[in-house]
């Protein structure tokens, strides 16, 4: 069997090369059993499937796995540090940004991409950075609160 | 002592004793949703995250025509495809009819759809399914299947569907049924009124858009069927499946994993009958997950409706009569249409104050996607109608709509037009506080000399608390005390991501004096928990919350009795204090919850200490709310921006303010879409949904949301737990009308049709000139 390697959450996985033509979302969920990344639309419109590819937020439902080869993929499972939650995750909990939680992994990925580039965003900048992520439960209010709160923590 | 005796006792002696508002430890405090820790790490398990050995994937074959009879389905090419395991169609599947929105055995809901339908009634009707080793192969196989239809004439609009000679969608005609409810004599009252008004308002079909698509995993072991499914109507699905698959109820087990939102869409069985049938067919686990497109087309929608409002007023601008005539678009199958109309008929009675009210609703079949349960259950339709109507009346009277509404909205404990009272109806408080938050007094403060016009608008609304007295509404809470003093709370009450189980734990924690999150929660498994009606009808706080309070009070009685026995005291001398037994003055006795558990198990030989409370709701109440929108409209482009928003809700008591706010914020997001952008569009030729993709179905995004100011009116309502009543559904009900009202105020228009798109705004402005 021909194989390819992909790097997810700092770990190398060797998978069947046939998966090259599958979406990264499919490989994460169905092959690697990393089911934290969600499928909300499958059409590049909702952000539930967001992962970081070389630090950039990407919708994995439309990214062919081939394109992720040789890059570093970070999924929601790779955000926390060992046993410690990332401050963004903590703030999502504390600020009530989580309801059904289906958008949360993608939201947290988008938030991380933002804060990694802009550690002190304004409320408007947060809203702008999250516009590719749909949430049907929260009206985004507490999600934006959480990102601002995390930014404060991370700068402290 | 028997449970009933304990219950009797606690209602007199225990329930009244205890904490006052200022002393609440856990009620009225912010709690993140119980499972947030798992959710932020991607560790919460939703249905499609579950994988089983040997699992297969099912994909549904949908009708591509709006109306007709399936003549033949040629599966021969598909069967040859590697990985295809089985194909089932309307010609071989069990064909017992069911109603997808059933709630309990013998619930009167018209059964008119099948797992697969040979008589197809809309584009998206299920006609068969393929089971394969992957979704991709199943999809490929479907493309190879040839379906022949005998096409029948179709009809997509309600008014045409009711015309003489319209194509008959179901035997007996397109009028599915009527709901009529009357108080007093509105006809005579309006005929004799000094002022009479009438208007027709239209609201669209919208998609729930729960972020998690419908998904079911079914497994059949030859004797028993087990389903993991994304549902908010767990126990009824067991009844539906047992009925159509001819299995005893005790051979159907349904488990609800974490659910990624429901909003009513998951009250109705959509993927469940298909997955169950396929699993039984192949004897292996089968997962059926809808794509987003399939959710748009083939799950359920909010009912599109035409709402006619007629009112009569006396010379003092007091309403003397009110009539609603509603045409509700059922779509292809009955589903919950008549129940939604029933919901409307009940709410029609309790917003405006006049003894003469008529509600007349007709449910109409059309060859379009199926209307079903959705957050608000009929209220958004009629409240949008009546609130836009009241704006128009105020304009005719040359009055501030605030003044007109305050004159005609009820006060607490006013008479219900059908007898009894309205309960602690706090709509006027909501309006007053909202007016303050948005500064309604200075509503004309904007400089509107340019082409962008800005204005405020507002709307009042009401929704209910549970189903009582329409039909049975009950839940069961079981509490067990363990040998280390910890508790398990067991319930069939179905969490779908709004925080209702967090609320139950707060209530039980308050009574038992333990940290709410310390409860172990066993939830929503038909085999391990007892019947609960389901997560709908705004019943969880009101019914399940009350049940949790009663169960915890029963547990408290039991614990104090055992402690008293051990300490040779009278229970009345003791109280529970954060894990310990104390004298009523707070002095500790040295006895802990753990000691009680062990004493009961090892000295009294009574095993574990547990209580079970079956609670039938015995009341209903109105949860009122008012929304205020500050909106600007670009008269050149028709573009609308919502700048500020205020939402004030009559919640009785916010058990969890953080979650209550979250409900309101999410409700506003959904309501903004209803007002401005969301609409399931049907091709007038083919009946196909033309915008079944997120790009063409604009959902409000984070950068489009206004700031939302929230306030609660917390005046309590009995018998809600700690005076609490519902928020989940009412949270979205007033939004649509508030936004459209603001647009009308900005433009001087009388827009009556939602969503108010750019095109409709520009057309209205052109018509004005
Ligand atoms: S699932 Fe990828 S963007 Fe929606
Ligand atoms: S929390 Fe449910 S979709 Fe965001």
């Amino acid at each position: 069997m021909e194989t390819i390697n992909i790097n997810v959450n700092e770990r190398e996985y060797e998978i069947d090369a046939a998966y090259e033509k599958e979406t990264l979302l499919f490989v994460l969920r169905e092959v690697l059993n990393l089911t934290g990344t969600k499928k909300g639309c499958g059409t590049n419109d909702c952000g539930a499937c967001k992962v970081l590819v070389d630090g950039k937020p990407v919708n994995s439902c439309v990214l062919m796995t081939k394109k992720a080869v040789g890059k570093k993929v970070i999924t929601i499972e790779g955000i926390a540090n060992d046993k410690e939650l990332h401050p963004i995750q903590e703030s999502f909990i504390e600020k009530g940004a989580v309801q059904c939680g289906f958008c949360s992994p993608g939201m947290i990925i988008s938030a991380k991409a933002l804060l990694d580039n802009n550690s002190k965003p304004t409320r408007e900048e947060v809203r702008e950075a999250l516009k590719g992520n749909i949430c049907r439960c929260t009206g985004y209010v507490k999600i934006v609160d959480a990102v601002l709160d995390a930014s404060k923590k991370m700068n402290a | 002592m028997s449970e009933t005796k304990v219950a009797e006792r606690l209602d007199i002696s225990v329930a009244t004793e205890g904490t006052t508002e200022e002393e609440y430890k856990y009620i009225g405090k912010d709690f993140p949703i119980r499972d947030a820790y798992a959710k932020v790490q991607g560790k919460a398990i939703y249905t499609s995250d579950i994988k089983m050995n040997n699992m297969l994937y099912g994909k549904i074959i949908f009708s591509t025509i709006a109306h007709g009879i399936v003549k033949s389905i040629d599966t021969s090419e598909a069967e040859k495809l590697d990985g295809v395991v089985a194909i089932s169609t309307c010609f071989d599947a069990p064909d017992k009819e069911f109603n997808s929105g059933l709630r309990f055995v013998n619930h009167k809901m018209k059964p008119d759809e099948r797992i697969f339908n040979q008589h197809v009634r809309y584009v998206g009707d299920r006609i068969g399914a393929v089971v394969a080793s992957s979704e991709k192969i199943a999809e490929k196989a479907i493309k190879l299947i040839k379906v022949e239809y005998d096409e029948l004439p179709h009809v997509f609009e309600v008014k045409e569907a009711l015309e003489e000679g319209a194509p008959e969608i179901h035997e007996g005609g397109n009028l599915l049924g009527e709901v009529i409810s009357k108080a007093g004599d509105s006809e005579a009252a309006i005929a004799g009124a000094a002022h009479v008004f009438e208007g027709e308002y239209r609201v669209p079909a919208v998609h729930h858009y729960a972020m998690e698509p419908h998904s079911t995993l079914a497994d059949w072991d030859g004797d028993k069927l087990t389903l993991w499914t994304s549902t908010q109507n767990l126990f009824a699905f067991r009844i539906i499946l047992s009925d159509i698959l001819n299995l005893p109820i005790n051979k159907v087990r349904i488990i609800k994993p974490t659910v990624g939102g429901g909003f009513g869409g998951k009250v109705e069985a959509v993927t469940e009958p298909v997955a169950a049938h396929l699993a039984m067919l192949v004897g292996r686990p089968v997962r059926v997950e809808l794509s987003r497109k399939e959710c748009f087309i083939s799950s359920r929608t909010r009912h599109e409706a035409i709402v006619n409002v007629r009112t009569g007023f006396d010379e003092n601008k007091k309403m003397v009569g009110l009539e609603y005539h509603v045409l509700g678009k059922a779509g292809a199958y009955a589903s919950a249409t008549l129940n939604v109309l029933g919901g409307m008929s009940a709410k029609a009675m309790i917003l405006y104050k006049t003894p003469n009210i008529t509600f007349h609703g007709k449910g109409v079949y059309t060859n379009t996607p199926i209307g079903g349960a959705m957050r608000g259950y009929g209220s958004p339709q009629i409240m949008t109608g009546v609130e836009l109507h009241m704006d128009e009346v105020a304009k005719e009277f040359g009055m501030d709509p605030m003044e007109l509404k305050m004159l005609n909205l009820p006060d607490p404990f006013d008479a219900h037009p059908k007898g009894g009272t309205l309960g602690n109806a706090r709509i006027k408080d909501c309006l007053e506080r909202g007016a303050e938050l948005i500064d309604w007094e200075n509503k004309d403060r904007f400089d509107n000399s340019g082409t962008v016009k800005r204005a405020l608008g507002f709307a009042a609304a009401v929704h209910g608390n549970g189903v009582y007295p329409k039909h049975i509404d009950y839940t069961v809470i079981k509490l067990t005390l363990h040998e280390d003093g910890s508790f398990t709370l067991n319930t069939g009450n179905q969490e779908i991501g709004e925080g209702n189980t967090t609320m139950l734990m707060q209530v039980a924690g308050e009574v038992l004096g333990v940290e709410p999150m310390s409860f172990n929660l066993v939830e929503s498994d038909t085999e391990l928990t007892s019947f609960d009606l389901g997560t709908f009808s705004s019943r969880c706080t009101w019914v399940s919350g009350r049940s949790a309070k009663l169960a915890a009070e029963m547990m408290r009685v039991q614990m104090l009795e055992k402690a008293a026995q051990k300490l040779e005291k009278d229970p009345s001398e003791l109280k529970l204090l954060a894990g310990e037994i104390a004298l009523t003055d707070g002095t500790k006795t040295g006895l802990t919850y753990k000691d009680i558990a062990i004493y009961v198990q090892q000295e009294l030989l009574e095993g574990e200490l547990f209580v079970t409370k079956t609670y039938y709701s015995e009341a209903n109440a109105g949860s009122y709310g008012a929304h205020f929108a500050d909106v600007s409209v670009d008269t050149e482009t028709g573009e609308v921006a919502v700048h500020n928003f205020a939402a004030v809700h009559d919640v009785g008591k916010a058990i969890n303010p953080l979650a209550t706010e979250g409900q309101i914020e999410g409700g506003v997001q959904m309501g903004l879409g209803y007002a401005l952008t969301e609409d399931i569009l049907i091709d007038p030729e083919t009946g196909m949904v033309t915008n079944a993709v997120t790009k063409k179905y604009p959902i409000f995004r984070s950068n489009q949301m206004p700031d939302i100011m929230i306030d609660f009116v917390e005046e309590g309502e009995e018998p809600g737990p700690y005076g609490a009543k519902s928020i989940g559904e009412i949270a979205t009900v007033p939004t649509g009308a508030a936004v459209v009202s603001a647009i009308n105020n900005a433009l001087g228009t009388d827009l009556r049709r939602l969503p108010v798109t750019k095109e409709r705004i520009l057309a209205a402005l052109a018509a004005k000139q």
Side-chain angles (χ1 to χ4, degrees):
Chain A
M1 172 176 93
E2 223 185 297
T3 61
I4 51 169
N5 274 20
I6 59 167
N7 185 302
V8 182
N9 301 331
E10 308 288 338
R11 201 182 132 184
E12 287 288 323
Y13 291 88
E14 196 179 333
I15 57 170
D16 190 332
Y19 290 130
E20 259 186 3
K21 293 194 207 92
E22 298 284 353
T23 64
L24 179 61
L25 177 65
F26 177 87
V27 167
L28 292 172
R29 290 183 53 83
E30 304 297 332
V31 183
L32 307 182
N33 288 323
L34 293 168
T35 54
T37 305
K38 301 300 179 202
K39 181 174 178 177
C41 70
T43 53
N44 202 18
D45 296 314
C46 79
C49 63
K50 280 249 191 302
V51 297
L52 296 174
V53 179
D54 281 350
K56 289 207 179 61
V58 172
N59 286 332
S60 64
C61 70
V62 288
L63 184 78
M64 288 303 129
T65 301
K66 192 175 176 178
K67 295 232 165 112
V69 174
K71 308 214 166 116
K72 285 190 170 223
V73 177
I74 302 287
T75 70
I76 187 67
E77 288 92 345
I79 295 292
N81 208 334
D82 286 328
K83 300 234 147 65
E84 289 258 305
L85 291 186
H86 188 282
I88 299 173
Q89 292 171 311
E90 272 176 18
S91 296
F92 263 62
I93 297 175
E94 287 158 10
K95 293 289 164 186
V98 182
Q99 288 189 31
C100 83
F102 206 78
C103 71
S104 307
M107 284 285 182
I108 289 168
I109 293 284
S110 290
K112 176 143 195 322
L114 168 70
L115 296 182
D116 285 348
N117 285 306
N118 175 1
S119 65
K120 288 183 186 163
T122 63
R123 202 171 177 90
E124 280 322 301
E125 286 170 329
V126 175
R127 281 181 162 169
E128 220 25 61
L130 300 180
K131 71 177 179 205
N133 292 75
I134 296 179
C135 175
R136 193 53 147 174
C137 300
T138 65
Y140 311 99
V141 179
K142 298 198 186 313
I143 294 176
V144 176
D145 289 347
V147 177
L148 291 170
D149 184 62
S151 136
K152 245 189 250 153
K153 275 189 210 155
M154 289 160 74
N155 285 306
Chain B
M1 188 186 262
S2 78
E3 269 168 32
T4 37
K5 283 236 183 83
V6 173
E8 269 167 31
R9 236 192 89 163
L10 70 89
D11 272 336
I12 14 173
S13 65
V14 185
T16 49
E17 164 237 287
T19 43
T20 62
E21 179 119 5
E22 300 78 60
E23 294 166 350
Y24 289 150
K25 263 194 99 169
Y26 307 117
I27 298 299
K29 303 290 184 306
D30 289 343
F31 281 86
I33 199 160
R34 169 181 64 80
D35 51 1
Y37 184 74
K39 284 172 173 171
V40 297
Q41 298 177 81
K43 286 184 180 166
I45 302 297
Y46 300 79
T47 299
S48 286
D49 300 337
I50 304 170
K51 230 181 265 177
M52 293 180 78
N53 283 338
N54 241 348
M55 185 172 94
L56 297 169
Y57 299 80
K59 273 306 228 188
I60 301 171
I61 312 166
F62 295 103
S63 165
T64 54
I65 66 163
H67 196 197
I69 307 291
V70 177
K71 244 182 8 194
S72 67
I73 301 181
D74 178 1
T75 59
S76 53
E77 287 303 309
E79 274 160 39
K80 288 183 206 149
L81 204 65
D82 225 17
V84 171
V85 177
I87 299 175
S88 176
T89 70
C90 53
F91 296 109
D92 58 65
D95 70 346
K96 186 145 187 211
E97 288 174 312
F98 63 96
N99 184 304
S100 60
L102 190 90
R103 296 175 177 179
F104 52 91
V105 163
N106 291 345
H107 186 201
K108 298 233 168 339
M109 288 182 82
K110 186 182 172 193
D112 63 0
E113 67 174 302
R114 297 175 167 86
I115 301 177
F116 301 132
N117 298 289
Q118 189 191 354
H119 181 167
V120 293
R121 297 176 170 96
Y122 75 112
V123 177
D125 214 336
R126 299 180 302 261
I127 60 174
V130 173
V131 190
S133 54
S134 76
E135 268 203 347
K136 230 183 185 173
I137 294 172
E139 278 161 10
K140 218 169 172 187
I142 288 177
K143 293 209 179 96
L144 298 172
I145 290 171
K146 292 178 209 76
V147 183
E148 276 194 320
Y149 300 96
D150 273 334
E151 288 210 39
L152 292 168
H154 50 237
V155 59
F156 304 138
E157 299 300 334
V158 283
K159 285 188 179 170
E160 281 95 81
L162 288 178
E163 276 166 19
E164 192 105 11
E168 195 172 88
I169 299 168
H170 287 270
E171 216 176 295
N174 297 333
L175 180 61
L176 159 64
E178 295 182 71
V179 174
I180 298 171
S181 179
K182 284 182 187 211
D185 186 345
S186 63
E187 214 172 304
I190 293 174
H195 309 274
V196 177
F197 303 94
E198 184 169 353
E200 189 175 279
Y201 308 87
R202 296 191 60 165
V203 283
V206 298
H207 175 43
H208 304 76
Y209 214 110
M211 278 297 283
E212 180 203 20
H214 289 259
S215 180
T216 303
L217 168 61
D219 185 33
W220 169 247
D221 71 0
D223 174 54
K224 189 169 175 180
L225 180 68
T226 304
L227 266 76
W228 293 260
T229 194
S230 184
T231 177
Q232 53 192 116
N233 195 10
L234 187 76
F235 291 88
F237 287 6
R238 178 171 63 165
I239 294 158
I240 293 173
L241 294 180
S242 120
D243 183 41
I244 62 179
L245 299 170
N246 200 19
L247 295 167
I249 286 180
N250 68 359
K251 295 293 181 188
V252 181
R253 176 184 187 184
I254 309 189
I255 300 164
K256 180 200 71 63
T258 312
V259 170
F263 312 111
K266 293 167 182 173
V267 170
E268 308 211 14
V270 173
T271 41
E272 291 81 3
V274 178
H277 161 59
L278 296 177
M280 289 178 75
L281 184 70
V282 297
R284 285 170 64 179
V286 179
R287 183 207 288 169
V288 177
E289 186 186 357
L290 296 190
S291 69
R292 178 58 57 190
K293 182 178 175 190
E294 292 165 349
C295 288
F296 269 114
I297 296 170
S298 196
S299 60
R300 297 291 178 269
T301 75
R302 187 187 292 295
H303 284 84
E304 180 181 331
I306 300 174
V307 179
N308 183 288
V309 183
R310 259 186 100 218
T311 51
F313 290 83
D314 67 15
E315 48 296 321
N316 298 320
K317 325 284 195 272
K318 283 279 227 182
M319 193 188 278
V320 295
L322 168 62
E323 289 185 358
Y324 295 88
H325 294 270
V326 177
L327 293 177
K329 193 189 257 195
Y333 294 99
S335 168
T337 295
L338 295 179
N339 308 60
V340 169
L341 291 171
M344 289 183 194
S345 75
K347 308 318 176 296
M349 299 292 153
I350 61 175
L351 186 60
Y352 283 101
K353 188 172 64 172
T354 159
N356 304 302
I357 304 179
T358 296
F359 175 88
H360 186 166
K362 292 181 181 171
V364 185
Y365 285 126
T366 52
N367 294 113
T368 55
I370 306 164
M374 184 170 177
R375 192 182 205 175
Y377 213 77
S379 294
Q381 289 92 332
I382 61 165
M383 302 288 156
T384 299
V386 77
E387 287 302 87
L388 294 179
H389 180 80
M390 287 298 278
D391 273 358
E392 294 173 15
V393 173
K395 221 195 272 181
E396 288 290 324
F397 284 153
M399 268 172 109
D400 180 343
M402 181 63 69
E403 201 190 324
L404 180 67
K405 290 181 186 184
M406 286 301 254
L407 193 62
N408 287 292
L409 287 165
D411 289 296
F413 302 101
D414 269 354
H416 188 296
K418 292 188 135 188
T421 86
L422 295 175
N424 203 359
R426 291 280 169 175
I427 184 59
K428 287 188 176 173
D429 302 61
C430 295
L431 282 192
E432 275 165 15
R433 291 208 211 162
E436 231 165 87
L437 287 173
I438 205 92
D439 193 11
W440 180 261
E441 217 183 317
N442 295 306
K443 63 181 181 343
D444 300 320
R445 59 186 177 271
F446 305 106
D447 171 13
N448 279 340
S449 53
T451 52
V452 175
K453 312 286 183 195
R454 188 162 171 179
L456 305 180
F458 75 96
V462 63
H463 199 64
N465 282 265
V467 191
Y468 179 89
K470 272 241 146 85
H471 60 65
I472 54 162
D473 181 353
Y474 81 97
T475 200
V476 183
I477 305 268
K478 180 179 174 189
L479 283 167
T480 307
L481 175 67
H482 300 296
E483 297 93 317
D484 61 353
S486 64
F487 294 95
T488 288
L489 192 159
N490 176 302
T491 177
N493 177 86
Q494 299 146 47
E495 169 80 52
I496 56 171
E498 76 285 62
N500 63 35
T501 49
T502 309
M503 173 274 300
L504 296 178
M505 289 152 81
Q506 283 178 262
V507 168
E510 183 69 43
V511 175
L512 294 170
V514 293
E515 212 292 312
M517 295 309 116
S518 72
F519 283 92
N520 171 47
L521 186 83
V522 178
E523 186 221 342
S524 304
D525 175 334
T526 58
E527 194 153 288
L528 301 179
T529 63
S530 292
F531 184 93
D532 168 78
L533 191 65
T535 296
F536 50 78
S537 290
S538 286
R539 58 180 292 282
C540 295
T541 297
W542 185 254
V543 183
S544 303
R546 169 85 175 148
S547 179
K549 186 158 185 282
L550 295 173
E553 284 166 352
M554 284 162 67
M555 174 57 90
R556 181 167 67 188
V557 168
Q558 294 258 13
M559 289 171 69
L560 291 177
E561 276 181 2
K562 305 300 176 193
Q565 223 173 319
K566 173 89 180 166
L567 294 167
E568 297 182 352
K569 289 197 177 302
D570 190 85
S572 65
E573 298 170 69
L574 302 172
K575 67 173 184 183
L576 302 183
L577 193 68
E580 300 194 46
I581 308 300
L583 300 179
T584 43
D585 67 4
T587 319
K588 290 184 178 169
T589 62
L591 200 70
T592 63
Y593 292 9
K594 171 179 170 171
D595 299 331
I596 296 174
I598 294 173
Y599 172 66
V600 171
Q601 187 189 58
Q602 299 179 13
E603 289 182 49
L604 298 178
L605 304 184
E606 290 174 3
E608 266 182 328
L609 195 57
F610 64 85
V611 297
T612 301
K613 177 63 194 169
T614 299
Y615 172 67
Y616 279 76
S617 180
E618 54 211 344
N620 207 324
S623 287
Y624 291 80
H627 286 187
F628 291 73
D630 166 0
V631 162
S632 69
V633 190
D634 185 324
T635 53
E636 286 177 336
T637 62
E639 206 90 43
V640 176
V642 188
H643 303 285
N644 280 303
F645 206 92
V648 185
H649 284 270
D650 166 28
V651 298
K653 168 83 191 158
I655 289 181
N656 184 349
L658 187 73
T660 309
E661 285 171 12
Q663 285 300 305
I664 295 169
E665 288 153 355
V668 170
Q669 189 268 5
M670 197 173 266
L672 289 171
Y674 196 50
L676 297 172
T677 59
E678 295 185 37
D679 191 357
I680 296 178
L681 300 170
I682 303 290
D683 182 284
E685 298 297 316
T686 61
M688 230 174 284
V689 176
T690 58
N691 59 340
V693 55
T694 309
K695 272 183 209 42
K696 296 193 190 162
Y697 185 91
I699 296 243
F700 260 72
R701 305 285 179 149
S702 51
N703 60 338
Q704 299 167 301
M705 287 295 291
D707 286 327
I708 304 173
M709 298 173 277
I710 292 177
D711 201 3
F712 309 135
V713 176
E714 297 187 272
E715 295 295 332
E717 178 112 27
E718 291 300 321
Y722 299 96
K725 47 189 177 180
S726 68
I727 185 62
E729 296 190 81
I730 181 63
T732 200
V733 180
T735 319
V739 172
V740 177
S741 162
I743 294 172
N744 281 332
N745 291 340
L747 302 178
T749 48
D750 284 327
L751 286 158
R752 289 173 165 184
R753 180 167 189 182
L754 276 58
V756 177
T757 57
K758 285 180 220 166
E759 294 74 29
R760 285 184 182 143
I761 286 173
L762 293 177
L765 286 174
K768 238 183 82 181
Q769 274 167 10

